[in-house]
Every structure is written in structure tokens, then in C-alpha cells.
Amino acid sequence: MERGRQTELEQRLKQLEGLVTELRKQLHEESLRRQTVEEQDRERVQFIALLAHELRTPLTPVLASARLLVEQFHPEAGSPQDRLISSVIRGAEALEARLSDMLDVAQIQAGAFLLEKTLINPAAVLKDIALQFLPLAESKRQALNLNLPQRLPLVKADRRRIAQVLMNLLENAVKFTPEGGNIGLKASIRERKLVIEVHNSGAAFSAEEKQRLFQPYHKVDRQKLPGSGLGLFLCRRLIESHSGRIWVESEAGKGNTFGFTLPLEDSVSQHQEGKS
């Protein structure tokens, strides 16, 4: 009887040893697969960064030369020469912006992305960006409304990156809002957070579109509008790197609102509004 039990235990031990061996083998194979994927990711990021850099190098003199042509020859507004040079400049600037997005994505994915945080005046940033987009909105007969409280606290953030987020959201608002529509830029304080919202009166996003808006290389297939599909992905990563949150609210007949938060630190929130 004892011998039968011993034999049974030995068999079970052998089965367990076999299972452990198989698990170790699977873990080793999974580790090798993970290493391969990580290496492929690193190579892909390096390739994107190299490609963007190599393309920007010859683009810089093209853009500078086109601008120099305008300064030297002063083509008459609306003339064939003016339209051609303007087309070259717009195309070069659009390509430069997309290459910058690619470089930012490569840096983020490589973990080499750094922020330069200082105390900034969010009201000044919002007003500055709104003024930059006012002519573009007016060209489409769109109303650009700025809604700011009398006082906003200083915020510790990377001014250039927050401006980049705002410009991207406003560019999308102008792009997706029909002629004669409304665009709103609003700031408020909620639960010790600065909340910034960009509203547009364009067509509402579907539930599927909302889920994919902040994914890299996703483009909303609406009127075949241009874009790299990286803008909102970069916005999300930039805001998250500031310990904030970004979202979109969409309702048929009311348009879309993109919002994001920036945390207010105790020492910062006690300051009065000052210079950025």
C-alpha cells in the first residue's frame, strides 16, 4: 500500500517537473519575443527620427529661398507669381510641421522627451494663440470667442508645449467648423485644476471616432481633410506629461468640445496673475 502511494507521488512529481520545465521554456520564449519586439520598436523610432531629420535638412533652404523671393520681388497680391510662391511656402511649412510631429513622436517613444517647465500666465498664452488664429477664422467667416475669468493663477508648465497643444486644437476647430460657424476658447478653475476647453460647432463625432481620436496616425475621414494623424496623439502625450488629462465631448447639433486640465500647485495657486 505504501509502495503504491510512493509510486503515485513520484509520478505526480514527474508531472509537476514536466509542467515547470514547460513553463520555463514558455517564459524564455516569451522573453525572447519581447526582446525582439522592443528591439524592433527602437529601430523603428530611430528610423523615424533619422528620416524626419534628413527630410528637414533640404527643406530648410527651400523655405528660406521662397520667403526671400517674396522679400526681394514683392509680387503683386493675387498675381500668378504670388500664388505660386505662396503655394510653395504653404506646402513647405505644412511639411515642416508634420516632420516636427514625427520627431516629437520619436522622442516620446524613445523616452527622450523633456519638458522645460516654468511659471506661465495661461491667460497670456490663450490670448496670444487666439490672436494668431483670428485671421484664419475670419477668412472662413467663423466667430472665435475667448471666454476668460478676470483672474487666472500662474501654472507651472512648458509654455511652448502648451501653446503647441492649443494651436493643434484650434487648428482642428477651424478645420472642422463650417463657414459661418462658431469656435470658443474657454478657461476656468475646477477642483484645483486649470481647465481649458476648445469648442467647435462642426458635425459631432461618432462613438467610434471618439474612441480613436487620440490614437497615433488616426485621421477622421471627413471631407478628406489634410493632416498627419499625429496631432491629437501628441496633445494627449504632452498633457499627460504635465500630469493633466485630455478628453473630447461630442453631441449632435451642439458640436465638439476638446478639453484638458493642468494641475495647480499649492504654491503656484496662491500667486496673482503675472507675466508669462
Side-chain angles (χ1 to χ4, degrees):
M1 195 70 178
E2 287 294 328
R3 183 171 180 80
R5 286 182 178 178
Q6 185 177 357
T7 302
E8 183 179 353
L9 285 172
E10 289 175 351
Q11 289 176 347
R12 289 184 178 180
L13 283 173
K14 286 182 180 180
Q15 289 175 350
L16 286 173
E17 288 174 356
L19 287 173
V20 169
T21 301
E22 181 62 26
L23 283 173
R24 285 176 176 170
K25 179 182 177 182
Q26 291 179 5
L27 286 172
H28 179 67
E29 291 175 350
E30 179 61 28
S31 176
L32 291 176
R33 281 195 294 269
R34 189 181 300 113
Q35 290 176 9
T36 301
V37 171
E38 289 174 353
E39 181 61 30
Q40 289 173 346
D41 284 343
R42 283 193 293 269
E43 291 177 356
R44 178 171 54 83
V45 168
Q46 291 172 358
F47 173 75
I48 291 174
L50 179 62
L51 177 63
H53 176 75
E54 291 299 316
L55 289 175
R56 285 185 74 177
T57 300
L59 179 64
T60 301
V62 171
L63 191 52
S65 298
R67 289 169 176 163
L68 190 60
L69 282 174
V70 175
E71 294 177 5
Q72 290 187 350
F73 296 100
H74 304 289
E76 183 180 352
S79 66
Q81 293 83 357
D82 177 61
R83 290 197 299 270
L84 286 171
I85 296 174
S86 297
S87 178
V88 170
I89 292 175
R90 284 195 303 270
E93 287 177 340
L95 180 56
E96 187 177 48
R98 294 184 186 184
L99 291 174
S100 294
D101 286 347
M102 290 174 64
L103 281 171
D104 284 343
V105 169
Q107 288 179 339
I108 287 172
Q109 293 180 332
F113 190 81
L114 298 176
L115 296 175
E116 298 179 5
K117 290 186 177 183
T118 59
L119 286 181
I120 67 171
N121 178 356
V125 178
L126 290 167
K127 291 175 183 177
D128 179 53
I129 300 300
L131 281 175
Q132 291 183 46
F133 274 88
L134 187 58
L136 180 59
E138 289 179 341
S139 70
K140 296 183 65 177
R141 296 185 295 107
Q142 297 168 342
L144 177 54
N145 304 304
L146 187 59
N147 184 357
L148 299 178
Q150 289 186 346
R151 237 178 239 282
L152 280 175
L154 301 180
V155 178
K156 194 170 186 180
D158 187 320
R159 189 187 195 283
R160 184 170 70 91
R161 294 305 185 180
I162 297 304
Q164 182 180 354
V165 172
L166 286 167
M167 292 182 71
N168 193 287
L169 295 181
L170 277 174
E171 183 180 6
N172 283 342
V174 172
K175 185 189 300 182
F176 290 114
T177 300
E179 288 198 14
N182 295 303
I183 298 170
L185 181 57
K186 177 182 177 181
S188 59
I189 303 297
R190 300 179 204 162
E191 299 177 352
R192 304 198 63 75
K193 294 182 178 66
L194 172 66
V195 181
I196 297 176
E197 296 170 299
V198 178
H199 175 77
N200 71 74
S201 58
F205 295 113
S206 67
E208 182 182 357
E209 284 176 332
K210 285 171 63 177
Q211 290 181 350
R212 300 179 61 192
L213 278 174
F214 296 101
Q215 295 179 4
Y217 303 105
H218 173 68
K219 293 177 64 176
V220 177
D221 188 16
R222 189 173 292 178
Q223 300 174 353
K224 303 298 181 182
L225 294 171
S228 64
L230 291 173
L232 289 176
F233 169 72
L234 279 172
C235 287
R236 178 171 67 85
R237 296 302 295 266
L238 288 172
I239 294 303
E240 289 176 349
S241 68
H242 282 81
S243 300
R245 185 175 71 88
I246 190 168
W247 68 90
V248 61
E249 297 174 353
S250 191
E251 186 176 349
K254 293 186 178 181
N256 311 289
T257 299
F258 286 86
F260 66 88
T261 61
L262 294 173
L264 297 177
E265 300 179 7
D266 290 339
S267 59
V268 175
S269 61
Q270 294 172 1
H271 282 274
Q272 293 184 345
E273 183 176 352
K275 294 183 179 180
S276 58

